[in-house]
Amino acid sequence: MVEPVLDVRGLTVALPSDGDRANAVEDISLTVAPGEIVCVVGESGSGKSVTASAVMGLLPAALKPVAGEALLEGENTLAANKTRLRALRGTRMAMIFQEPMTALNPVARVGEQIAEMLEIHTGMSASERRARAIEIMQMVHLPDPEKMIDAYPHQLSGGQRQRIMIAIALVLDPALLIADEPTTALDVTTQAQILTLIKEMQERRGTGVLFITHDFGVVAEIADRVVVMQHGKIVEQGTRDEVLMRPQAPYTQMLMASVPSMTPPARTPVVGARAIDVTGLSKQYGKTGLFGDGRVVLAADDVTLHVNKGETLGIVGESGSGKSTVARCIARLIAPTAGSISLHGTEIATLPEARLRPHRRKVQIVFQDPYRSLNPRRTIGLSLIEAPVNFGIPKDQALASARSLMELVGLSADALDRYPHQFSGGQRQRICIARALAVEPDVLIADEAVSALDVSVQAQVLELLDDIRARYNLAMLFITHDLRVAAQICDRLMVMQKGVVVEHGPTGQVFRDPANEYTKLLLEAAPGRDVTFGAGRAV
Amino acid sequence: MVSYLLRRILATIPVMLFVAVFIFLLLRLTPGDPATIIAGDFANETQVAEIREKLGLDEPMVTQFFVWIGNMVQGDFGESFFYKKQVSDLIASRIEPTLSLSLLTIVLTVTIAVPMGTLAAYKQGSWLDRGIMGFSVLGFSLPVFVIGYALIYLFSIKLGWLPVQGYQRISDGVGGWLLRLLLPSLALAVIFVAFIARMTRTSVLEVLGEDYIRTARAKGQTETRVLLRHALRNAAVPIVTVIGLAFAILIGGVVVTESVFTLPGLGLLTVEAVLARDFPTIQAVILLFSFIYVLINLMIDVSYTLLDPRIRY
């Protein structure tokens, strides 16, 4: 058997004494062989990033490894001193991160950032470094490296930035590459390309890859072996097919069952009264002419849609497709440039703010990030009754209905006196849903409402949203970039690209028989689309 | 960029015009007649009226204003009532101490404050950080004149290392110039060091939490270079902003310092001119100050584009 490039044995990292558990990770043992991709999966807080940072010696000062070793080609990085650790980083082990925009220094040229690696670890001259940087940029398939080498990160696209990060990590040919959620912040088509690139690089160079992710689709695409973590411990490890198809641990089985399927369930068309009717909606940002700076973006271009009562319309698309712009126009958080928006027959596209107010309560939004959409200094109760009280409902009555709403979304009514930080992400999203329902809306807009949630929580929140839609006969507009989620919850789907609706139809039909090229591209790029998770489960 | 600069420079004209109207009215609407002061305690009505006529103060205010603006456009800032000299010559002879003092103060401030703030951020929570922040609170709380007199007492009177007061022109020897400016600059610098060190600390702390700092460490970069190359450059925009503002405040604040250390600069000139109701001199000095403010603000904005490639005008 070949010697592994990484051999972690019994790694335990202690949390500070005020942490919610004694150890961030406990007794972690895993190996990565040369040329092997090992995926570490788990939900947030499972300790997967801590494991990676511990190997690199990049743990925050508050976290200390207290037991075990991390052998990098036989050398224990946990015991290495600072100088030795610096020498190992970049040369023998390298790391890429989740968010390529923030992981690159925004004020330094990308070429300099690649060359910096060579400057630290080799005696190359400036011109040699530049030549080598161009060479590695070519290898990661960046277009026109001679020109791009002098660009700044903000001038590149998300995918290009991640390619730069990969170039930095691989320029010295390390034995181990640690990738911490490297595609999570990317659009699905870009994600597919980056996964292919990581695979290609790893095959060509025989690099061992420790790949951290929460996305089982990605695992299905890329993993040789899978390590599943929960609460800082490894609950299961095995080959990709063993873990994905025949999971043994109950936790893994639960996770696999929670991954939404790419196959939409059969649905009967909803025939209700029209709740929203949008025709020819356009939104233009920027101004031309005398006082504008000439930069104009057409964020939404001639969008026409309708949603019936009791129906869920999904808008899917990548970042910049205009899906959120459309949602914001319908909620009249922004004013459309042209077109009509009719809410139960009332035209609201051009209503001035004062006359818009009564309509505001009819359209409510649940946003993506439950950590930032609740005021941290107000109790849940205050957040829940704010809107009803604004619309003239007596405080006592608003509080009473807040209590019953909390129970409706699966939380205790006693929690009204608590503050947002005392809840988990999933609970906060439930609170946001309760807040939206507090004013008895007709239309609920979910803007990436489950995208920030872990997969098991995501399944529960999706179920809650669907329940509420049915119970109140709500028209729901569901904005998402996640095709799996869209497949499960939407009656009809609209695919947007660069502000334009490119495809529109019943969910089942769009998935089975996409008419538009871009829709096909999106469906093909969805990671793990052919895998039915937990399909071969041993009972 | 060029068109932006042009627009910004054109935009200074209305600003300066507004300042001109304001200062002109302020002087004429406050009590105190320059003619009476020039004429002295024993002058009679006719003499005062003669002086008033000679100075052009008997004209209607609107005429006076347009004569003043008209002359300025031609480069004539008028003659001082009190010194009987061209105001432009007067300012030229007084500008060196003021600029010397302000520049030296800024140089002192930056060389002390930026490393101090960076170090405090890097060693956050340590005794060094607490010490620096403690000094910063102290620096804020002490008025310039208290620090000034305390420094004079210590270094000039007790230790006798530095001269008490006065100014030596730079052309008469850099050593003497520096020696005489050191105490006033130090006194002025204290509050700015406190302010800018704090600002630097906050700004660097924020940047140190960024992902690209982790990237730099993952590359195996040394801590010194992580700080200098990655952290400080990204933290620079807010720091440079306050340095620029500090410089602007300094130029305006020289009135007090120059009085304490009797430096013959623009600050002292302003005080003398105000006491003598020397309208042309006051007007010109105030206009000059506001022009410097506008200029510094423009320079701050332009410096952003050099510090951060994402900012383009």
Side-chain angles (χ1 to χ4, degrees), chain B residues 140-287:
Chain B
F140 270 128
S141 342
L142 291 173
V144 174
F145 64 88
V146 173
I147 298 170
Y149 286 127
L151 286 176
I152 290 175
Y153 179 75
L154 182 66
F155 288 106
S156 308
I157 298 174
K158 277 282 160 187
L159 298 171
W161 292 352
L162 295 166
V164 177
Q165 282 179 332
Y167 182 74
Q168 180 180 324
R169 294 206 167 264
I170 199 163
S171 49
D172 299 335
V174 175
W177 169 82
L178 194 66
L179 226 54
R180 280 178 177 77
L181 273 180
L182 210 53
L183 277 189
S185 298
L186 214 57
L188 267 181
V190 169
I191 190 163
F192 293 110
V193 168
F195 182 46
I196 289 169
R198 248 197 133 82
M199 192 69 212
T200 306
R201 177 179 180 270
T202 311
S203 190
V204 171
L205 258 186
E206 201 182 309
V207 168
L208 280 180
E210 293 286 345
D211 288 351
Y212 49 81
I213 298 297
R214 184 182 55 180
T215 306
R217 290 190 175 132
K219 284 176 173 175
Q221 189 57 281
T222 60
E223 286 301 304
T224 320
R225 291 223 179 143
V226 168
L227 271 181
L228 293 181
R229 193 184 283 187
H230 294 282
L232 212 49
R233 246 200 96 188
N234 274 287
V237 165
I239 300 174
V240 168
T241 309
V242 292
I243 291 174
L245 292 177
F247 191 64
I249 294 169
L250 258 177
I251 298 250
V254 290
V255 173
V256 177
T257 334
E258 289 181 5
S259 307
V260 172
F261 292 95
T262 42
L263 289 172
L266 288 178
L268 213 55
L269 178 66
T270 316
V271 175
E272 291 160 2
V274 167
L275 290 178
R277 300 290 183 279
D278 187 351
F279 288 179
T281 312
I282 302 173
Q283 287 166 358
V285 171
I286 301 287
L287 268 186

Side-chain angles (χ1 to χ4, degrees), chain A residues 369-384 386 415-423 428 431-432 435:
Chain A
D369 190 343
Y371 289 88
R372 290 190 298 186
S373 48
L374 285 167
N375 186 336
R377 303 210 191 285
R378 309 195 81 188
T379 62
I380 300 307
L382 285 176
S383 285
L384 284 186
E386 182 175 12
L416 283 178
D417 295 330
R418 292 204 246 149
Y419 287 90
H421 70 266
Q422 293 168 291
F423 296 89
R428 284 187 221 199
I431 292 164
C432 290
R435 176 175 62 179

